Amino acid sequence: MWVIYALLSAFFAALTSILAKIGIENINSNLATAIRTVVVLVMAWGIVFINGSLNQINNISQKSWIFLILSGIATGLSWLFYYKALQIGEAAKVVPIDKFSVVITMILAFVILKEALTVKTVLGGVFITIGTFIMIL
């Protein structure tokens, strides 16, 4: 089931890039990011209310709060830089560089999370890196 969710995520991420590129024409990229963020905020809280998981908020540990907040800050910075890059660059070049985060995530997962480093992972990372450079050159 996780593969279906991941594919849907990839589809909507691609759609996000195209819609954003069209939407940020002639407006400040930070303002565009703020508008997008409000929409995401309303959608996320709406889903929490609809599925009734708000009552779980008291069960969140201090460690989880800290890392979720840090993740939110990282997301915000990522979106701000992404929208600025998308506004001034070509989507077909900005997006592959943004998706290079896959390789960076693999490295961080190995270093920080101590996830297994396999030949398959290394080869995948190398091919993604090569693909990224082919797309942007």
Side-chain angles (χ1 to χ4, degrees):
M1 191 66 174
W2 67 266
V3 174
I4 293 170
Y5 288 130
L7 288 170
L8 287 169
S9 174
F11 172 76
F12 284 109
L15 191 58
T16 297
S17 300
I18 301 306
L19 296 173
K21 181 68 176 174
I22 296 167
I24 60 177
E25 189 176 325
N26 299 322
I27 68 167
N28 180 280
S29 64
N30 295 326
L31 176 60
T33 303
I35 292 167
R36 173 191 181 194
T37 303
V38 169
V39 173
V40 172
L41 180 73
V42 169
M43 281 185 56
W45 280 106
I47 291 168
V48 166
F49 286 114
I50 288 169
N51 74 16
S53 57
L54 183 63
N55 62 347
Q56 298 174 17
I57 201 164
N58 293 328
N59 300 332
I60 300 173
S61 70
Q62 183 178 6
K63 176 185 174 186
S64 289
W65 274 112
I66 290 168
F67 281 95
L68 289 171
I69 290 167
L70 291 172
S71 174
I73 292 168
T75 298
L77 290 170
S78 173
W79 288 1
L80 289 168
F81 289 124
Y82 178 73
Y83 263 48
K84 188 62 176 178
L86 196 58
Q87 185 175 46
I88 61 178
E90 296 176 34
K93 291 184 178 180
V94 170
V95 174
I97 295 171
D98 177 65
K99 298 309 174 194
F100 188 68
S101 64
V102 171
V103 174
I104 297 168
T105 300
M106 290 163 55
I107 293 167
L108 293 175
F110 171 69
V111 173
I112 296 170
L113 301 177
K114 309 295 184 210
E115 290 186 2
L117 183 65
T118 65
V119 172
K120 183 171 72 170
T121 313
V122 171
L123 281 175
V126 167
F127 287 133
I128 291 169
T129 302
I130 291 168
T132 299
F133 281 105
I134 290 171
M135 293 290 294
I136 64 174
L137 297 178

